[in-house]
Amino acid sequence: MLEEIKQTAEFIRARTGDFRPEVGIILGTGLGGFGDRIEANYTLDYHEIPDFPVSTVEGHKGRMIFGRVKGRRVVAMQGRFHYYEGYTMQQVTFPVRVMQQLGIGYLFVSNASGGINTSFRVGDLMVITDHINLMPNPLIGPNLSELGPRFPDMHNCYDRELIARATEIAEEEGIKLQYGVYVGGTGPTFETQAEYRYFKAIGGDAAGMSTVPEVIVARHMSIPVFGVSVITNCGLSDEAGDHEDVQRQGRKAGVRMELLFKRMIKSL
Ligand code: HPA
């Protein structure tokens, strides 16, 4: 596994003129538009990259963009891998391992989710303050001790300083933020009404099918994480979840998320 990670990083370095990204960004459903507006130096489709899975979900483009955001060197993943697509947790999190080898010092993650906090509205941006993992843990198996400890601490999983900075920037820009706990389930079904109630009862504010594996692996390697979730539907309402709605709401809220990410990246 470590060998594959290193080989893939080596391949990417060779293809990107030794571009050393400072920040990794993962763009979720409907949020890929940000990637199109990065001043790109290099772009690699996932299918060109050895040992990378290929994203199968509509609305996910499937490429890595190496470029600059407000002068900072970034690598953005336009499209991610989900457990429900049939990949192993090692495959889902492989890109984060590779980004760490390329040199990232921060990971910014984004996703679309169903709000279960009844004060949330469709289109809200929720800063992820913590998560509850209801998927298999991606660190199950032999520990890659060169990268991190067997029993990683998960306090401050979503970096408190970065959250405080987001609050300041959002106030300056007039962006409304919600804050909450993201519950990561496997999908691909949206939750039943009883499951949304259960997620709420155990302390969740939003339900999704991604992000948690990547964040666990980033924290295993001590990379500070900042995460934002776009609330694309309200789980406890009577309306059915729908992937097209999720994509549309993602695109709309993505404009605000992009502004927040850009200003945060500039401030690092
Ligand atoms: N549940 C799970 N994942 C989601 C949802 C949801 O309601 N909305 C967007 N992604």
Side-chain angles (χ1 to χ4, degrees), residues 45-113:
D45 287 345
Y46 294 156
H47 64 77
E48 298 177 66
I49 307 175
D51 290 316
F52 250 55
V54 175
S55 181
T56 64
V57 188
E58 252 179 79
H60 292 247
K61 274 197 176 155
R63 55 183 192 164
M64 270 183 141
I65 300 160
F66 295 82
R68 280 172 203 271
V69 169
K70 302 274 181 200
R72 297 256 163 200
R73 292 186 307 278
V74 305
V75 51
M77 288 184 63
Q78 216 171 23
R80 58 148 61 84
F81 307 107
H82 302 83
Y83 187 59
Y84 63 72
E85 293 176 84
Y87 302 119
T88 64
M89 278 297 185
Q90 280 69 32
Q91 287 176 303
V92 168
T93 55
F94 186 76
V96 179
R97 297 288 196 198
V98 171
M99 289 195 282
Q100 185 264 351
Q101 291 285 313
L102 294 174
I104 64 165
Y106 297 91
L107 181 67
F108 280 42
V109 291
S110 61
N111 60 47
S113 68

Side-chain angles (χ1 to χ4, degrees), residues 112-114 190-191 196 207-209 232-233 246:
S113 68
F190 288 98
E191 290 68 23
Y196 283 122
M209 311 174 191
T232 58
N233 54 292
V246 168

